[in-house]
Amino acid sequence: TLLSSLGLGTTLTFASSHWLLAWMGLEINTLAIIPLMAQHHHPRAVEATTKYFLTQATAAAMILFASTTNAWITGVWDMNSLSNPIASTMIIAALALKIGLAPMHFWMPEVLQGLDLLTGLVLSTWQKLAPLALIIQTAQSIDPLLLTALGLMSTLIGGWGGLNQTQLRKILAYSSIAHMGWMIIVLQYAPQLTLLALLTYIFMTSAAFLTLKTSSATKIGTLATVWSKSPILTTTTALVLLSLGGLPPLTGFMPKWLILQELAKQSLPLVATIMALAALLSLYFYLRLCYAMTLTISPNTTASTTPWRVRTTQAPFPLALATVMALGLLPVT
């Protein structure tokens, strides 16, 4: 029931051109993921769920208020006729709060840290789709300066915040904030690049989360012990992390390359330079994860592969698919 409601809420938002219907889809979506987040009955999970619920409810109320204001002033509930500047600014603020764009990002690392890895995967991929669809539909009526500021702040904060972390889920949360910034920055110039960045981000994040699930790692220190148990997985994970960082010849290079090219084409060289330098910040902590996984030996593990370890119950196919997509899609460019 919960999973189908999760799908239904997002689909409702996709299909709607009326603000009330979109709001309803977002609400169904939030209410469906809350029991999934709290299913482990761990105090940390309950705390994370509460934080998530409060932020999402605030954002939904703001969307409702802004769309009502817009309908009151213009007399239209349609999404494409967002002519009132106050309403459009409030809408983008609420949607930014929903997907965790900086400076409305503070809930994101906290919430992700309290969840188990699969729910975390749902939160950082599927939960982004509905608000992003609304942002893309209303992007043309929003002040370009505001969007650029949101995008730049998100990439910078997503890079800076992750530098000092040891918890993998928080690192992935900051990486998610940075990727959202890349999507928002190019939104008004080339929305198709936003979708491309979203698609590649979903593949790379799925690969990362499923790998961590397979080795059930939640801290950087745990990663140093993975190589003796599953050497091939260690290799592919290092590549997936570099792909998240955006290094050629991996998939993650494609959206960054095309977005920087588009920004330069729109004569925004300063913005493009700041974005490229902000990507270096993110790359640093991906490299730290790679280093911990592949170049360090944990002090408390045997060098022999352990044949007696418990077989994992996770299906290998989703991980294999996500990894291949995260590593090999650059030629599509």
Side-chain angles (χ1 to χ4, degrees), residues 37-325:
M37 291 164 82
Q39 65 187 341
H40 288 293
H41 300 301
H42 189 277
R44 191 69 190 78
V46 175
E47 182 194 345
T49 312
T50 314
K51 285 177 181 170
Y52 182 76
F53 171 71
L54 289 172
T55 49
Q56 300 297 309
T58 312
M62 274 176 75
I63 290 173
L64 198 56
F65 181 52
S67 51
T68 314
T69 311
N70 188 55
W72 182 43
I73 293 174
T74 60
V76 202
W77 278 96
D78 197 51
M79 258 181 217
N80 304 323
S81 57
L82 201 59
S83 49
N84 184 28
I86 303 173
S88 62
T89 309
M90 276 182 58
I91 292 257
I92 189 69
L95 290 169
L97 177 61
K98 265 206 177 294
I99 60 170
L101 281 170
M104 284 78 94
H105 66 284
F106 292 98
W107 60 272
M108 180 91 192
E110 294 291 322
V111 168
L112 206 58
Q113 179 58 32
L115 306 178
D116 70 309
L117 290 161
L118 285 180
T119 322
L121 171 63
V122 172
L123 181 73
S124 40
T125 54
W126 183 255
Q127 291 300 93
K128 303 278 189 239
L129 296 178
L132 260 172
L134 295 184
I135 292 179
I136 289 172
Q137 283 184 61
T138 55
Q140 298 312 320
S141 59
I142 296 162
D143 183 19
L145 188 64
L146 180 65
L147 277 183
T148 311
L150 278 174
L152 280 175
M153 272 194 76
S154 298
T155 40
L156 282 167
I157 286 179
W160 256 315
L163 290 183
N164 213 10
Q165 298 293 342
T166 57
Q167 299 288 337
L168 296 177
R169 285 167 292 188
K170 278 193 178 171
I171 287 183
L172 283 167
Y174 280 111
S175 118
S176 162
I177 295 168
H179 278 278
M180 290 294 140
W182 278 92
M183 289 171 216
I184 294 299
I185 200 89
V186 77
L187 183 56
Q188 280 186 328
Y189 310 110
Q192 66 275 19
L193 284 188
T194 301
L195 288 172
L196 176 79
L198 177 67
L199 198 65
T200 51
Y201 159 76
I202 286 179
F203 282 136
M204 297 183 296
T205 310
S206 308
F209 267 108
L210 290 169
T211 308
L212 296 180
K213 180 84 178 70
T214 306
S215 54
S216 52
T218 53
K219 288 194 286 293
I220 290 188
T222 324
L223 288 180
T225 61
V226 174
W227 64 272
S228 63
K229 298 194 185 95
S230 42
I232 296 174
L233 189 66
T234 311
T235 317
T236 55
T237 312
L239 288 172
V240 165
L241 287 166
L242 293 178
S243 179
L244 269 164
L247 291 187
L250 305 164
T251 309
F253 179 56
M254 167 166 60
K256 287 193 166 51
W257 175 25
L258 294 172
I259 287 172
L260 289 176
Q261 187 183 352
E262 181 64 35
L263 287 172
K265 204 187 293 176
Q266 299 285 351
S267 63
L268 295 166
L270 186 63
V271 175
T273 312
I274 298 174
M275 293 296 283
L277 292 175
L280 282 178
L281 286 169
S282 301
L283 184 61
Y284 175 76
F285 59 78
Y286 296 127
L287 280 175
R288 226 174 72 204
L289 291 184
C290 283
Y291 181 75
M293 269 197 102
T294 55
L295 296 173
T296 53
I297 293 179
S298 177
N300 52 8
T301 178
T302 50
S304 64
T305 51
T306 42
W308 45 263
R309 76 187 161 104
V310 184
R311 282 260 164 241
T312 172
T313 54
Q314 188 187 334
F317 178 70
L319 174 58
L321 181 71
T323 304
V324 169
M325 291 296 198

